[in-house]
């Protein structure tokens, strides 16, 4: 069997709450292949974001193993970890909170190029312009402060930063949830396009099953820190087996009944 | 719309609002909110939907400049008593150092002239009505001890504590996950029906609005683009922008963004 | 911001005082060239008697007005330098403690406690008497006693900022922890720390005056504290020699404090509006 891009096995994390500890993630196992999108879905507090933060080494797990690009990802520390971070990037839910409030667009994009020595200083402005163009933004935006640009543009800048280091996996933590519908569709198309051209895999975290169904290849549904079920995104969502999967599907607002297909 | 049989609870005529020197947040809005209806205001960020809700509730910030009229069908309303307002962020509308029961009781005491004992009893009843578990214990809880969904139930209890005629929910479920959102929407639907309230439901989510509202008003850049029954607006949208919103909505039956997925391994 | 800053009368008065002081300090060598400690006339001339010596002379016949102008230089230089040093040291230590957390945080904060439990003035006094009085030593002595406040505030700010998404974002990008601490976190933690600056400047000016009063100031410079001490011996016959520099000190501290309050308030208003 060919090796997966990312293999997560038995990942667990408990948080202290008062005198006791609560399992935020327990026995989480899944894998992602290159150019594949795995969605993590589930209600608030189901452990989606904990899993994301564990993968990105923002917090450390209590147990479990993570193999990424054939390496023991959890064994990396210090400078080697920082170097390897180039391959696993993240886009946050709130693009405003994800950037230093004092930063300009150019600085946000300059950081990864500088830190990972992707381009010498003289060449970086050209690279930044290239990144902006790749995510469908005008190169004039480079000099603007990140808080001055619109929400949709800001999320495009976040994507540009994430792809600057040519990652093989990007964690999208509710990356389109806060955007207006009209913007959301275009951002999803951009992400799908990047996956097609650059072979990037996504871990797509969302509580919105509608989005999961159109965007992800496979889905893992979490509940209370545990995996409730996983499988082909459309198969799972069209016929959920777990209680939480059924509840999520039932709770998703539906437009049909009002649209043209309606008989009356 | 002018031939509506119902008496409007509130009629907006030429309502225009501006913040500072920026572009108009609302420009010349004519809108009737009919007594007893569930009206949804939908639009994207910057559409003016929240401004409109605040203007109806008389909660516009002092810095906002407004023109036009807001005419009420009956006696002019008293904010807090005749209009209940539920905000997006329940944590922001609750006092962190006051027991949640007292916060609800205070509304009842102020506007219904109840004694503290009666007001607290009413708060307990309301906690039961909004589906909070174990109301006798929970009235003594503080906001940080509650989940996001529970906090939003408390703010709904506070909003209806003075038996308002009009309930305004401004993105009241946007910060909640899908399951809790569905529960809160069901709760709002039940409370509005039981108390005969009029509902103004502000949302960016067209499908959520469609599930709850009798009529939908579509706003964009401060202008009212389209107003009609939910069936009309969703099923046969007239304005190109409304059409684009309906098309852009991603639901459980939308076609996938990927043409083929057969080459993706599904082994576990 | 400037327009709003000058709106309150307090801020206006404070700024006016500081501008006047700065002008005095800058103009001192032009208006009163040469050594202000040289003898300019007969001893103990009372103020407003001789227009060439408007504020009179002291026990040794030195021009009091010239001393006052040159003393403004010392007060302002020491005040600003000591405040800058203590803010810089405090911000760096507070940022390191807050950002590193764990053992490093514990160690740095206990060090802060240790410094904070010793009264600041005694610490400065001990430091100067050991190292010897000179302007830079006085600045260091004051900074030594004043960095703990900025350190505590910086740490508290950093503790909340380091949980924000943009710090997580910087880690994901692979930024070195020190760069995250000083380039991403510290600049955002600074505003509340800087709000302390007026209090620290005022405090530093007073400590400097007190040290000079006790004879532990730089002996080669005129200081207001030294002038008060100098006048003390003839307090009954020539009280103006102590009163004039005393008033200068009070007015300066008041000016620093009022202007500082105005700046903090206008920053708060600006933040509230945006």
């Amino acid at each position: 069997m060919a090796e997966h891009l990312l293999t997560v096995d038995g990942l667990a994390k408990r948080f202290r709450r008062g005198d006791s500890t609560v399992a935020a993630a327990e026995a989480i196992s899944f894998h992602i292949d290159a150019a594949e999108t795995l969605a993590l879905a589930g209600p608030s507090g189901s452990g989606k974001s904990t899993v994301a933060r564990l993968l990105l080494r923002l917090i450390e797990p209590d147990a479990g193993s993570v193999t990424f690009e054939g390496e023991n990802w959890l064994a990396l520390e210090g400078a080697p970890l920082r170097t390897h971070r180039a391959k696993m990037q993240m886009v946050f839910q709130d693009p405003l909170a994800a950037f230093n409030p004092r930063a300009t667009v150019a600085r946000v994009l300059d950081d990864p190029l500088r830190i990972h020595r992707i381009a010498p200083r003289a060449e970086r402005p050209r690279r930044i312009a290239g990144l902006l163009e790749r995510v469908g933004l005008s190169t004039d935006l480079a000099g603007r402060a990140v808080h001055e640009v619109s929400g949709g543009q800001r999320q495009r800048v976040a994507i540009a930063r994430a792809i600057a280091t040519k990652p093989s996996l990007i964690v999208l933590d509710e990356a389109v949830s806060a955007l207006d519908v009209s913007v959301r569709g275009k951002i999803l198309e951009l992400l799908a396009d990047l996956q097609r051209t650059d072979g990037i895999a996504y871990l797509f975290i969302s509580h919105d099953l509608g989005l999961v169904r159109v965007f992800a290849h496979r889905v893992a549904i979490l509940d209370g820190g545990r995996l409730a079920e996983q499988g082909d995104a459309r198969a799972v969502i069209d016929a959920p087996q777990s209680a939480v999967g059924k509840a999520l599907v039932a709770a998703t607002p539906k437009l049909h009944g009002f649209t043209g297909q309606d008989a009356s | 719309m002018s031939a509506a049989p119902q008496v409007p609870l509130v009629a907006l005529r030429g309502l225009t609002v501006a913040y500072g020197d920026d572009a108009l947040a609302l420009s010349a809005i004519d809108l009737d909110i009919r007594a007893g209806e569930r009206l949804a205001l939908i639009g994207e960020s910057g559409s003016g939907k929240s401004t409109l809700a605040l203007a109806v509730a008389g909660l516009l910030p002092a810095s906002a400049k407004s023109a036009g009229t807001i005419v009420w069908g009956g006696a002019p309303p008293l904010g807090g008593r005749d209009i209940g307002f539920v905000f997006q962020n329940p944590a922001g509308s609750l006092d962190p150092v006051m027991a949640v029961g007292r916060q609800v009781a205070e509304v009842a005491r102020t506007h219904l002239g109840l004694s503290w004992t009666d007001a607290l009893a009413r708060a307990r009843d309301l906690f039961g009505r909004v589906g909070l578990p174990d109301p006798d214990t929970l009235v003594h809880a503080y906001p940080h001890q509650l989940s996001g969904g529970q906090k939003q139930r408390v703010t709904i209890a506070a909003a209806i504590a003075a038996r308002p005629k009009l309930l305004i929910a401004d993105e009241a479920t946007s910060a909640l996950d899908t399951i809790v959102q569905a529960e809160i929407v069901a709760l709002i639907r039940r409370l509005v029906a039981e108390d005969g309230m009029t509902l103004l439901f502000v949302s960016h989510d067209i499908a959520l609005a469609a599930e709850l509202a009798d009529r939908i008003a579509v706003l964009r850049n401060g202008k009212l683009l389209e107003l009609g029954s939910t069936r009309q607006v969703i099923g046969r949208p007239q304005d190109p922008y409304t059409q684009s919103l309906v098309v852009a909505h991603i639901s459980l039956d939308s076609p996938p963004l990927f043409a083929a997925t057969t080459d993706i391994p599904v082994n576990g | 911001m400037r327009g709003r800053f000058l709106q309150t009368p307090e801020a206006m008065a404070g700024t006016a005082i500081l501008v006047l002081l700065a002008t005095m300090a800058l103009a001192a060598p032009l208006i009163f060239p040469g050594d202000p400690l040289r003898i300019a006339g007969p001893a103990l001339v009372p103020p407003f008697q001789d227009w060439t010596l408007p504020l009179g002379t002291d026990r040794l016949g030195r021009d009091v007005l010239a001393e006052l102008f040159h003393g403004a230089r010392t007060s302002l230089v020491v005040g600003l330098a000591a405040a800058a040093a203590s803010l810089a040291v405090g911000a760096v230590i507070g940022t390191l403690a807050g950002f590193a957390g764990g053992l490093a945080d514990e160690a740095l904060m206990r060090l802060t406690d240790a410094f904070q439990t010793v009264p600041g003035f005694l610490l400065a006094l001990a430091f100067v008497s050991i190292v010897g009085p000179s302007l830079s030593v006085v600045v260091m002595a004051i900074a030594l006693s004043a960095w703990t406040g900025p350190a505590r505030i910086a740490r508290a700010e950093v503790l909340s900022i380091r949980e924000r998404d943009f710090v997580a974002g910087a880690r994901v990008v692979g930024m070195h922890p020190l760069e995250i601490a000083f380039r991403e976190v510290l600049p955002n933690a600074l505003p509340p720390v800087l709000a302390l600056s007026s209090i620290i400047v005022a405090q530093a000016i007073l400590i400097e005056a007190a040290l000079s009063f006790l004879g532990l100031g730089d002996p080669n410079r005129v200081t207001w504290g030294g002038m008060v001490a100098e006048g003390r011996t003839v307090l009954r016959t020539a009280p103006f020699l102590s009163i004039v520099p005393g008033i200068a000190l009070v007015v300066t501290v008041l000016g620093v404090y009022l202007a500082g309050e105005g700046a903090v308030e206008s920053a708060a208003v600006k933040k509230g509006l945006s």
Side-chain angles (χ1 to χ4, degrees):
Chain A
M1 184 182 94
E3 202 170 271
H4 302 299
L5 174 69
L6 174 85
T7 308
V8 175
D9 191 22
L11 207 58
K13 177 74 181 175
R14 300 183 75 85
F15 287 120
R16 218 176 24 202
R17 191 148 303 158
D19 298 331
S20 58
T21 60
V22 198
E26 213 172 336
I28 302 285
S29 302
F30 59 83
H31 65 86
I32 305 178
D33 284 306
E36 186 196 23
T37 301
L38 172 72
L40 282 186
S44 331
S46 60
K48 309 187 293 286
S49 287
T50 303
V51 171
R53 299 178 83 80
L54 285 169
L55 281 186
L56 288 153
R57 298 289 306 275
L58 293 170
I59 51 176
E60 297 303 319
D62 300 331
S65 70
V66 176
T67 310
F68 178 57
E69 292 194 324
E71 291 208 56
N72 181 355
W73 180 248
L74 296 178
L76 293 167
E77 293 294 341
L81 173 62
R82 288 198 294 278
T83 310
H84 280 79
R85 281 185 183 283
K87 289 294 170 189
M88 193 195 290
Q89 286 296 303
M90 180 175 193
V91 176
F92 292 84
Q93 169 170 16
D94 177 0
L96 191 55
F99 298 129
N100 187 331
R102 295 157 180 271
T104 61
V105 170
R107 205 195 110 181
V108 161
L109 299 179
D110 188 72
D111 282 342
L113 300 176
R114 171 178 56 84
I115 291 165
H116 295 286
R117 300 197 179 83
I118 289 167
R121 180 187 292 268
E123 204 196 311
R124 276 188 238 140
R126 211 173 47 78
R127 289 291 191 106
I128 291 170
L131 285 169
L132 287 172
E133 274 168 11
R134 182 66 190 90
V135 297
L137 289 174
S138 154
T139 52
D140 303 339
L141 235 56
R144 304 265 292 278
V146 282
H147 67 256
E148 286 175 351
V149 304
S150 74
Q153 289 174 329
R154 225 179 272 132
Q155 203 58 303
R156 285 177 193 266
V157 173
I159 293 168
R161 176 167 76 169
I163 61 170
T165 55
K166 305 207 179 309
S168 50
L169 173 68
I170 300 180
V171 175
L172 304 166
D173 189 0
E174 300 276 7
V176 297
S177 309
L179 301 173
D180 283 331
V181 253
S182 53
V183 181
R184 185 158 74 186
K186 296 198 181 78
I187 297 283
L188 286 176
E189 274 165 29
L190 168 66
L191 289 168
D193 183 51
L194 286 169
Q195 185 166 62
R196 270 192 297 274
T197 55
D198 299 1
I200 301 172
Y202 296 124
L203 182 67
F204 181 73
I205 296 174
S206 179
H207 66 271
D208 185 334
L209 287 190
L211 288 179
V212 169
R213 196 176 170 285
V214 299
F215 188 68
H217 301 106
R218 290 187 299 121
V219 64
I221 298 182
L222 296 183
D223 189 25
R226 288 178 163 276
L227 272 176
E229 61 181 308
Q230 61 175 322
D232 176 82
R234 273 163 290 287
V236 167
I237 292 168
D238 292 346
Q241 302 299 310
S242 64
V244 66
K246 286 174 182 155
L248 279 170
V249 168
T252 305
K254 292 153 194 80
L255 260 189
H256 58 241
F258 298 102
T259 44
Q261 305 97 321
D262 190 25
S264 57
Chain B
M1 248 50 66
S2 54
Q6 297 97 327
V7 185
L9 176 77
V10 51
L12 313 180
R13 290 293 175 267
L15 183 66
T16 301
V17 177
Y19 298 110
D21 306 326
D22 294 343
L24 294 178
L26 282 179
S27 65
I29 302 288
D30 292 326
L31 176 68
D32 286 351
I33 302 174
R34 300 172 186 163
E37 78 167 333
R38 294 177 302 207
L39 173 64
L41 291 181
I42 63 166
E44 300 189 307
S45 46
S47 63
K49 56 188 191 301
S50 287
T51 301
L52 198 148
L54 291 172
V56 170
L59 292 174
L60 282 177
S63 58
K65 290 187 274 289
S66 61
T69 57
I70 301 177
V71 180
W72 290 82
L78 193 64
R81 188 191 69 189
D82 298 324
I83 302 169
F85 207 107
V86 183
F87 293 91
Q88 171 172 359
N89 177 8
S93 39
L94 292 174
D95 182 340
V97 294
M98 195 196 260
V100 289
R102 281 182 79 88
Q103 304 193 35
V104 174
E106 197 158 81
V107 180
R109 200 175 68 100
T110 312
H111 294 296
L112 301 178
L114 299 180
S115 68
W116 258 118
T117 327
D118 292 348
L120 280 170
R122 176 155 174 80
R124 261 193 297 278
D125 290 348
L126 286 166
F127 273 38
R129 278 196 70 198
V130 297
L132 282 166
D134 193 6
D136 289 327
T137 315
L138 226 55
V139 285
H140 301 295
Y142 288 87
H144 72 267
Q145 296 169 309
L146 305 180
S147 72
Q150 288 176 330
K151 274 186 269 212
Q152 197 58 294
R153 286 177 195 269
V154 171
T155 62
I156 291 172
I160 64 167
R163 302 191 190 98
K165 294 200 238 351
L166 174 63
L167 181 66
I168 301 178
D170 185 2
E171 296 279 12
T173 63
S174 306
L176 307 169
D177 72 41
T178 318
I179 293 177
V180 183
Q181 166 173 287
E183 290 169 6
I184 297 288
V185 165
L187 171 67
I188 291 175
R189 184 202 305 273
R190 177 166 62 78
L191 293 173
V192 165
E194 285 173 0
D195 291 6
M197 285 185 285
T198 305
L199 175 69
L200 186 60
F201 186 80
V202 180
S203 180
H204 67 279
D205 187 333
I206 192 168
L208 194 63
E211 288 200 334
L212 184 59
D214 307 318
R215 290 200 304 158
I216 292 180
V218 183
L219 285 130
R220 187 191 197 188
N221 299 331
K223 292 191 178 67
L224 180 61
L225 292 187
E226 186 158 359
L227 171 68
S229 72
T230 300
R231 191 162 291 273
Q232 262 176 347
V233 172
I234 306 295
R236 288 183 300 282
Q238 301 302 305
D239 191 273
Y241 176 70
T242 316
Q243 289 164 7
S244 77
L245 282 184
V246 173
V247 171
H249 178 75
I250 295 169
S251 64
L252 293 181
D253 47 11
S254 303
L257 273 172
F258 305 96
T261 57
T262 42
D263 55 335
I264 301 301
V266 198
N267 53 336
Chain C
M1 156 139 191
R2 175 163 293 272
R4 201 173 294 126
F5 174 53
L6 290 176
Q7 260 174 15
T8 63
E10 292 92 340
M12 258 158 60
T15 312
I17 291 171
L18 289 187
V19 167
L20 182 76
L21 275 168
T23 317
M24 273 173 71
L26 289 172
L30 302 173
I31 303 175
F32 302 101
D35 186 358
L37 294 174
R38 73 168 191 274
I39 289 158
L44 292 172
V45 175
F48 315 123
Q49 302 287 315
D50 179 351
W51 74 269
T52 59
L53 299 165
L55 287 181
T57 59
D58 69 3
R59 216 155 44 89
L60 299 174
R62 297 181 290 210
D63 182 352
V64 172
L65 189 63
E67 286 189 285
L68 203 63
F69 268 63
H70 282 269
R73 284 170 89 79
T74 315
S75 282
L76 286 186
V77 164
V78 170
L80 293 176
S86 53
L87 288 173
V89 171
V92 167
I93 290 184
T95 302
L96 283 177
F99 193 73
L103 212 62
D105 181 24
E106 196 66 24
L108 286 171
M109 288 332 282
R110 292 300 80 80
L111 181 75
T112 312
D113 285 344
F115 271 89
Q116 214 159 21
T117 46
V118 182
F121 181 66
L122 285 185
L123 200 65
L125 199 69
F127 186 75
V128 176
S129 28
I130 293 167
V131 183
S134 79
L135 198 66
S136 49
V137 170
V138 169
V139 167
M140 270 192 278
I142 295 171
L144 205 61
S145 64
W147 64 271
T148 51
R152 283 191 181 283
I153 293 190
R155 175 176 173 271
E157 275 298 298
V158 167
L159 282 181
S160 85
I161 291 173
R162 73 168 189 183
E163 299 302 324
R164 301 210 350 226
D165 275 356
F166 76 84
V167 175
R171 289 177 68 189
V172 169
V173 160
M175 204 179 272
H176 192 278
L178 283 177
E179 187 184 351
I180 298 178
F182 290 107
R183 190 148 164 266
E184 301 284 315
V185 176
L186 179 59
N188 290 294
L190 271 186
V193 177
L194 291 179
L196 274 184
S197 52
S198 66
I199 296 171
I200 293 181
V201 170
Q203 204 183 350
I205 288 173
L206 288 177
I207 293 182
E208 186 278 330
L211 286 173
S212 300
F213 181 81
L214 295 178
L216 289 170
D218 189 330
N220 302 315
R221 283 178 168 269
V222 189
T223 65
W224 290 344
M227 288 169 73
V228 175
E230 185 71 16
R232 191 180 40 160
T233 51
V234 286
L235 195 60
R236 282 169 185 280
T237 49
F240 67 91
L241 285 179
S242 295
I243 291 172
V244 167
I247 288 176
L249 272 171
V250 169
V251 169
T252 304
V253 169
L254 194 69
V256 169
Y257 184 73
L258 290 178
E261 281 290 279
V264 170
E265 227 160 84
S266 77
V269 169
K270 197 177 160 209
K271 208 172 172 185
L273 281 184
S274 64

